[in-house]
Amino acid sequence: MAHSGISVLFEGTNFMRLLGGLWVTVKIAAVALIFGIILGIILGVLRTFKNRPLRVVLRLYLEFFRVVPTVVLLFLFYYILPRQMNFNLPADQLATLVFVLWVGAEMSDIVRGALISVPRHQIESGKAIGLNRFQLYRYVLIPQSLTLEIPATINLATRVIKTTSILLLISVMDVINIGQQIIEANNHTYPTGVFWVYGLIFLFYFLIDYPLSWWAKRLEKRRLEKANG
Amino acid sequence: MSWAIIQQSLPMFGKGFELTLWLSFVGIIGSIVVGLICSLVQYFRVPVFRQIASVYVEISRNTPLLIQLFFLYYAFPVLGIKFGAQLCGIIGLIFLGGSYMAEGFTGGFNGVSKSQVESGKAIGLSRWQLARYVVFPQGFSLSVPAMAANVIFLIKETSIFTVIAIPELTNTALDLIGMYYRSNEYLFVLVIAYAIILVPLSIILTLLEKRVRYGTFGN
C-alpha cells in the first residue's frame, strides 16, 4: 500500500474540518435540547391539568411527533414551510426548529409521567397545608419528580445527538457531510480512506454518547436503590 | 393537493410499504433473537460472552444507525466484505435493535421483585429452576412494553435506510418528490403510510403498559 488510509485524516486541514463539522452537530443538538426541554416542561405540566380539550390537543401533538419518523418530520418542514408558508430558513436553523418541537414532545411525556407518579398522599398533604396550585408544583411535585426525569432526559439527549446524523439529508454541513466530502476528494490517493473517516465519525458519536448513557444509568440505579432501599 | 397525483403514486408507495414492513419484520425478529441471547448471557454471567455482549450493547446503543449503515455499506467493501443495500439495512437494523431488545429483557429480569427471587431460593430451587420458574415468566411479561416500544422505534428507524437507497417508504417519497416536485402530495401519502403501520402499534403499546401496570400495582 503506497499510502496508509489513516493518514487521510491528517492530510491538510481534514481533521480540523471534521472537528468543525462535529461542532455544528453538537451546537444544533445543544440548542435543540435547551429550548426543547423548556418547551417540554411547560407542555408536560399543562398535560397534568384537568382541562380536557387542552390535554387532547397536547396528546395529539405528542403522538404526531412520536409516530412520524424524524427523517420524515425533517422533510415535512423542509418542503412545506418555504413553499406553503413562504417561510425560509437556512437548513441548520430549520433542523434546529424541527428538533426543538420533537424534543418538546418527547420531554412533555417524560415530565408528565414523572409528575403523575408522585404519590397521591404527597399532593393531598400539600393541599391540606393550604398550598395553592403553583406552590404545589413548585415545592412538592417538581422537586420529587426530578429524580425520575433526569435520567430519562439524559437518555433523550443521547437520542437527539444520534439523530443529528440525519442532518446530512437536508445538506447541513455536519460532521458526516464533511466526512463524505473528504472521502470523495481523497478517493484516488487514499482508497481505504472511507474506512478511517467513517470509523472516526463512529468514534466521535460514541465518545459523546457513551459518557452520557453511563451517567444516566448510574443516576437511575441510585434512584432505584433509594426507592427500594 | 391533487388526488389524481396521489392516486398515480399509490402503486409505488405500495411497494415501498411492503418493503418497509418486510425489512422491519426481519430486522425485529433478528433483534429479538440477538437481544435474547445477549440478555441470557448476561443473566447467567457466562464468562467472556458476557463481556462481549456488554461491549456490543454499549457500541450499538451509543452510535447512530446512519453511521452504522455507512460503515457497513461503504467502509466494509474496502476490507473485501460486500453486501447488497437491503442486506446491509437488515444487518444494521439487527445490530442496532439487538442491543435495545437486550436492555429490554435485562430490565424485565431485574424488575422481578427481590422477594420472589428470595422465596424461590428459600424453597431450595436451583439456579436454573429459579430462572425457569420464577424469573423468566415474570421477567418476560415485564419486558413486553419495552419490547413493543422497541418495535415501534425500529420500524421508524427503517426510514434511515433511504441513505443507502433502499426503496422503502421514505426513499420512495423522496424519489417521487425529486422527479415530479409535488412535495405536498407525496409527503401526505408518506405520513399516512407510517400512521397506518404505527398508530395501531402505538395503541397496543399503551394497552400493554396499562396491563403490566395493572399486573404490578392492581390499578
Side-chain angles (χ1 to χ4, degrees), chain A residues 95-107:
Chain A
T96 313
L97 175 69
V98 175
F99 275 50
V100 167
L101 294 174
W102 171 59
V103 173
E106 294 280 358
M107 189 67 197

Side-chain angles (χ1 to χ4, degrees), chain A residues 66-67 83-84 162 202 213, chain B residues 61-62 100 156 183-184:
Chain A
R66 195 169 256 184
V67 161
R83 287 194 197 163
Q84 303 302 311
K162 282 185 280 182
F202 198 94
S213 320
Chain B
R61 277 183 71 96
N62 290 311
Y100 279 82
K156 282 167 63 182
S183 47
N184 288 352

Side-chain angles (χ1 to χ4, degrees), chain A residues 3 5 42 69 83 88 91 94 99 109 131-132 144 163 181 184 191 218 229:
Chain A
H3 301 275
I42 297 170
R83 287 194 197 163
N88 282 298
L94 181 104
F99 275 50
D109 211 42
L131 298 184
N132 64 29
Q144 292 194 43
T163 311
Q181 289 181 352
E184 273 159 33
R218 216 178 66 144

Side-chain angles (χ1 to χ4, degrees), chain B residues 36 39-40 43-44 105 108-109 112 127-143:
Chain B
L36 200 56
S39 63
L40 289 179
Y43 179 80
F44 287 111
F105 288 128
F109 298 157
V112 175
R127 212 176 141 64
W128 166 247
Q129 285 173 323
L130 195 67
R132 163 75 183 78
Y133 296 106
V134 181
V135 176
F136 290 168
Q138 297 184 51
F140 280 125
S141 55
L142 286 177
S143 62

Side-chain angles (χ1 to χ4, degrees), chain A residues 135-150:
Chain A
Q135 288 170 323
L136 203 61
Y137 277 93
R138 165 74 184 76
Y139 295 105
V140 182
L141 290 170
I142 292 177
Q144 292 194 43
S145 62
L146 278 181
T147 51
L148 261 178
E149 282 160 12
I150 290 173

Side-chain angles (χ1 to χ4, degrees), chain A residues 22 34 38 50 52 80 114 123 133 139 149 182 190 201:
Chain A
L22 189 66
I34 293 168
I38 296 172
K50 293 238 149 41
R52 210 180 163 81
I80 290 178
I123 302 169
R133 185 139 91 176
Y139 295 105
E149 282 160 12
I182 292 175
Y190 300 103
I201 297 173

Side-chain angles (χ1 to χ4, degrees), chain A:
Chain A
M1 218 186 306
H3 301 275
S4 166
I6 195 169
S7 11
V8 70
L9 300 177
F10 307 104
E11 186 93 337
T13 54
N14 284 355
F15 194 76
M16 288 320 285
R17 284 182 62 207
L18 282 170
L19 282 182
L22 189 66
W23 174 239
V24 172
T25 301
V26 169
K27 211 168 55 184
I28 290 178
V31 174
L33 276 165
I34 293 168
F35 288 102
I37 287 172
I38 296 172
L39 176 69
I41 291 174
I42 297 170
L43 297 181
V45 168
L46 288 178
R47 283 184 60 205
T48 61
F49 288 1
K50 293 238 149 41
N51 187 333
R52 210 180 163 81
L54 182 73
R55 271 166 55 186
V56 170
V57 169
L58 292 178
R59 181 72 201 259
L60 285 176
Y61 168 72
L62 168 74
E63 290 298 332
F64 179 76
F65 275 86
R66 195 169 256 184
V67 161
V68 181
T70 332
V71 178
V72 180
L73 287 175
L74 205 58
F75 279 108
L76 279 177
F77 282 75
Y78 185 71
Y79 283 113
I80 290 178
L81 280 187
R83 287 194 197 163
Q84 303 302 311
M85 299 170 192
N86 221 352
F87 185 61
N88 282 298
L89 278 179
D92 55 339
Q93 290 176 26
L94 181 104
T96 313
L97 175 69
V98 175
F99 275 50
V100 167
L101 294 174
W102 171 59
V103 173
E106 294 280 358
M107 189 67 197
S108 81
D109 211 42
I110 294 174
V111 172
R112 175 181 168 274
L115 286 175
I116 60 170
S117 62
V118 173
R120 261 210 87 71
H121 63 84
Q122 289 286 336
I123 302 169
E124 278 157 11
S125 314
K127 279 184 185 155
I129 59 168
L131 298 184
N132 64 29
R133 185 139 91 176
F134 174 77
Q135 288 170 323
L136 203 61
Y137 277 93
R138 165 74 184 76
Y139 295 105
V140 182
L141 290 170
I142 292 177
Q144 292 194 43
S145 62
L146 278 181
T147 51
L148 261 178
E149 282 160 12
I150 290 173
T153 309
I154 299 170
N155 277 329
L156 179 62
T158 67
R159 270 174 68 200
V160 172
I161 291 163
K162 282 185 280 182
T163 311
T164 55
S165 59
I166 63 173
L167 295 177
L168 158 87
L169 288 168
I170 57 167
S171 328
V172 175
M173 273 301 147
D174 75 328
V175 64
I176 302 177
N177 209 332
I178 287 180
Q180 281 187 331
Q181 289 181 352
I182 292 175
I183 290 166
E184 273 159 33
N186 296 282
N187 213 358
H188 272 292
T189 25
Y190 300 103
T192 57
V194 58
F195 189 82
W196 297 101
V197 172
Y198 285 142
L200 182 70
I201 297 173
F202 198 94
L203 188 69
F204 278 158
Y205 273 103
F206 184 77
L207 288 179
I208 299 174
D209 264 359
Y210 177 66
L212 286 174
S213 320
W214 181 83
W215 185 29
K217 228 181 225 170
R218 216 178 66 144
L219 288 176
E220 182 66 16
K221 209 173 143 192
R222 219 186 276 160
R223 183 186 70 81
L224 286 176
E225 275 167 7
K226 241 185 207 165
N228 303 333

